[in-house]
Amino acid sequence: MSSATPSVSSQGTAFFSSQSGLQVLLPGDPRYSSHEESYWAANARLTPSCIVLPESPEQVSAVVKELVATKRRFAVRSGGHSPVPGTNDIANSVTIDLSLLKEIAVDTRSGTVRFGAGLRWINVYEELTKHKLTVAGGRGGDVGVSGLLLGGGSSWMAAKNGWACDNVLSYEVVLADGRIITADRDTNADLFRALKGGSNNFGIVTSFTMPTVPSDRIWGGIAATPENDIPQVVDVMFHFTEEHANYQDSYLMAVIGYFPSFGVNVASTALYQGNNDPNASEFEGWRKLPKIADMTKETTIHDLSIEITLPNNYNNAWFTLCFKNDQRIMNKAAEVHQRLVGELKSYVSDGDFITQCIFQPVPAIIAAHSAASGGNVMGLERNTGNAILFQYAAMMKTAEQAAWVYPKLQAGLQIIKDFAAGIEGGLMDWLYMNYADVTQNVLGSYGVENVETIRNVAAKYDPDQVFQKLCPGGWKVSALA
């Protein structure tokens, strides 16, 4: 450890401890270790000099002002689910952990819910289920609300409600100068739009307000199909995506992957039917698939969010693309993934690894929902038709294994990208931040006009570039030419 590290810690403790009620955790404290170990991905844990846990927007403001005054770098953590190192933790400096911002206020009169930025979706769904309500939020219950919403947010309800970020009615934001402001369609409207996909380029969001929608019992869950039937799963995915705009209360995604519990490559499918209809006609093709496991049932969004959670404590890497809804491209991706699984099975003797080759529907109608809610900065309106959001990922037990597989993921992604580009209209520009590797130019993929919007909004609300320079993690607009 460098000699500078203790001084940073002691300085931080001296100031932060003077703030009434502010918790400060230092290395050696069991609570510090517990917080670091609670990051979903092992490779995201970077050992900060201290972790501060504000309990209110006012405490967040005080912490930010001190960090700016002393020019200390920092990271901001909500749920800690991103596996990209530096997006939610920082080595030898200060991590602001928002986990104590956990208030949830359901307003049945206005049909809204306001919730703190430190919550995970499972917390939000648990409270809303008591009222037979939900929101168009994240699918995985262990995912933090902030990272998902600020990066766009893929949702079960995308075909009906747009991206999760499109459903945010207002944000409470702490700016670099310590001001606490609201951003909505009428107040700070430019910031309101930029936060929808613009991530941490502007300030620290401390709470979100979203509209609630009725939801009691739903039907859904996970099923698994044998490896030999992957082409049939691709066909089901293709036809569902083409017709998705006609069945907006339903959702289907395909997850081709290797899981230790199976020991082989399988094609999983995850389904959601908001009206609790197990016989919905849009799933007719899916019902014909051979299955080695079928866990679909009547359930709730809260319980479903638990069932689709992936295990933690792996070293994770993932990449993303968006391409035309085309069986040829999906089958090519499945083929590339199959080769990777074969290599990994030879390399990892105990078979303890996970891979994912995921296809999610992006019907063209989503862009219309985005525009109706005030727009976002992701640029999906440029998509020429129905598309597939693709994720390519590997989860490894050791850092050495992760380093071995990383270039193989990169190479495989390039093969898929080149193949898609060779098909007319096959490759879309847009990249989904929440599935992207740090090497991918996410903000640039939003298009020139949206990049300029993000740049202008960042300059207006953070003129000293605090969230570009002192908060270095994630995708920064200042890094673009």
Side-chain angles (χ1 to χ4, degrees):
M1 183 178 292
S2 69
S3 60
T5 302
S7 64
V8 172
S9 295
S10 60
Q11 290 172 10
T13 303
F15 170 76
F16 297 135
S17 296
S18 70
Q19 302 301 300
S20 177
L22 180 64
Q23 296 187 42
V24 182
L25 308 181
L26 299 175
D29 185 328
R31 295 174 299 164
Y32 174 100
S33 299
S34 177
H35 275 263
E36 280 294 284
E37 290 168 4
S38 68
Y39 281 85
W40 179 66
N43 53 301
R45 304 162 188 166
L46 301 184
T47 317
S49 299
C50 68
I51 302 170
V52 295
L53 292 103
E55 296 184 35
S56 67
E58 290 75 21
Q59 285 192 341
V60 174
S61 173
V63 170
V64 169
K65 286 192 285 188
E66 171 62 12
L67 292 170
V68 171
T70 55
K71 294 181 170 55
R72 267 179 280 163
R73 300 200 312 164
F74 62 94
V76 182
R77 172 188 174 168
S78 172
H81 195 271
S82 171
V84 179
T87 54
N88 48 26
D89 206 4
I90 191 167
N92 301 320
S93 203
V94 180
T95 292
I96 304 173
D97 186 324
L98 303 178
S99 60
L100 297 183
L101 300 182
K102 53 187 180 182
E103 180 182 0
I104 307 178
V106 179
D107 187 336
T108 55
R109 289 186 179 180
S110 65
T112 62
V113 58
R114 177 185 171 97
F115 49 88
L119 292 168
R120 292 182 168 94
W121 288 108
I122 189 172
N123 309 125
V124 177
Y125 294 146
E126 181 178 20
E127 180 61 28
L128 289 174
T129 297
K130 299 174 185 176
H131 304 272
K132 297 184 179 181
L133 298 169
T134 192
V135 290
R139 287 187 297 267
D142 61 340
V143 174
V145 298
S146 288
L148 182 115
L149 289 171
L150 297 177
S154 184
S155 166
W156 296 119
M157 305 176 188
K160 187 173 186 177
N161 301 91
W163 298 100
C165 69
D166 294 324
N167 292 269
V168 177
L169 298 174
S170 69
Y171 304 83
E172 181 181 66
V173 189
V174 174
L175 301 180
D177 60 8
R179 284 182 294 150
I180 303 170
I181 66 170
T182 296
D184 58 30
R185 292 188 74 161
D186 300 316
T187 306
N188 301 308
D190 50 355
L191 178 60
F192 174 67
R193 179 169 176 264
L195 285 166
K196 298 181 177 184
S199 193
N200 64 349
N201 279 281
F202 319 103
I204 299 176
V205 176
T206 51
S207 71
F208 304 84
T209 300
M210 296 181 73
T212 57
V213 294
S215 180
D216 186 10
R217 307 297 291 178
I218 65 164
W219 179 86
I222 301 169
T225 294
E227 175 182 48
N228 291 340
D229 297 291
I230 286 175
Q232 191 175 341
V233 173
V234 166
D235 283 343
V236 169
M237 189 72 222
F238 168 78
H239 289 293
F240 181 85
T241 301
E242 284 299 288
E243 299 296 325
H244 197 12
N246 299 323
Y247 304 106
Q248 296 182 21
D249 289 310
S250 295
Y251 188 92
L252 181 146
M253 61 186 283
V255 183
I256 300 169
Y258 172 93
F259 298 90
S261 57
F262 285 107
V264 294
N265 194 29
V266 298
S268 300
T269 43
L271 297 89
Y272 160 85
Q273 212 297 315
N275 297 320
N276 192 21
D277 181 3
N279 300 310
S281 61
E282 57 267 34
F283 295 133
E284 180 179 355
W286 172 84
R287 283 190 287 270
K288 296 177 181 177
L289 291 173
K291 298 180 182 68
I292 53 178
D294 187 348
M295 295 172 281
T296 55
K297 60 183 180 297
E298 180 179 318
T299 184
T300 65
I301 284 185
H302 170 265
D303 291 347
L304 184 57
S305 78
I306 298 172
E307 292 171 16
I308 68 166
T309 297
L310 286 166
N312 60 356
N313 291 323
Y314 283 84
N315 293 271
N316 302 341
W318 53 29
F319 294 82
T320 191
L321 291 174
C322 184
F323 48 71
K324 178 182 180 180
N325 182 37
D326 188 296
Q327 295 107 312
R328 293 169 295 177
I329 306 173
M330 286 188 274
N331 279 316
K332 183 65 175 181
E335 172 193 315
V336 170
H337 170 261
Q338 177 65 33
R339 289 199 297 267
L340 176 67
V341 171
E343 291 182 80
L344 280 169
K345 289 176 73 173
S346 297
Y347 176 69
V348 183
S349 58
D350 64 1
D352 190 0
F353 65 90
I354 296 171
T355 65
Q356 292 188 298
C357 169
I358 302 178
F359 306 127
Q360 297 181 24
V362 185
I365 195 173
I366 291 180
H369 293 315
S370 300
S373 65
N376 59 49
V377 292
M378 295 190 292
L380 266 83
E381 63 276 3
R382 296 168 299 151
N383 280 7
T384 54
N386 297 322
I388 294 292
L389 170 56
F390 173 65
Q391 184 187 23
Y392 194 40
M395 301 168 60
M396 314 302 295
K397 269 299 180 184
T398 71
E400 179 184 21
Q401 292 170 349
W404 183 87
V405 77
Y406 184 84
K408 296 183 180 298
L409 286 170
Q410 285 183 304
L413 187 85
Q414 191 62 49
I415 291 170
I416 299 163
K417 183 177 180 180
D418 291 343
F419 184 86
I423 292 173
E424 184 178 0
L427 186 66
M428 310 295 186
D429 292 333
W430 172 72
L431 296 173
Y432 179 43
M433 180 179 292
N434 292 341
Y435 290 168
D437 182 73
V438 71
T439 61
Q440 297 189 274
N441 184 11
V442 172
L443 297 184
S445 79
Y446 291 177
V448 174
E449 290 184 7
N450 285 317
V451 168
E452 192 63 19
T453 294
I454 295 170
R455 198 188 308 277
N456 291 339
V457 173
K460 176 180 176 180
Y461 291 90
D462 182 20
D464 295 326
Q465 293 194 304
V466 168
F467 286 93
Q468 305 301 313
K469 297 176 179 178
L470 294 185
C471 183
W475 288 266
K476 298 298 179 180
V477 69
S478 57
L480 301 180

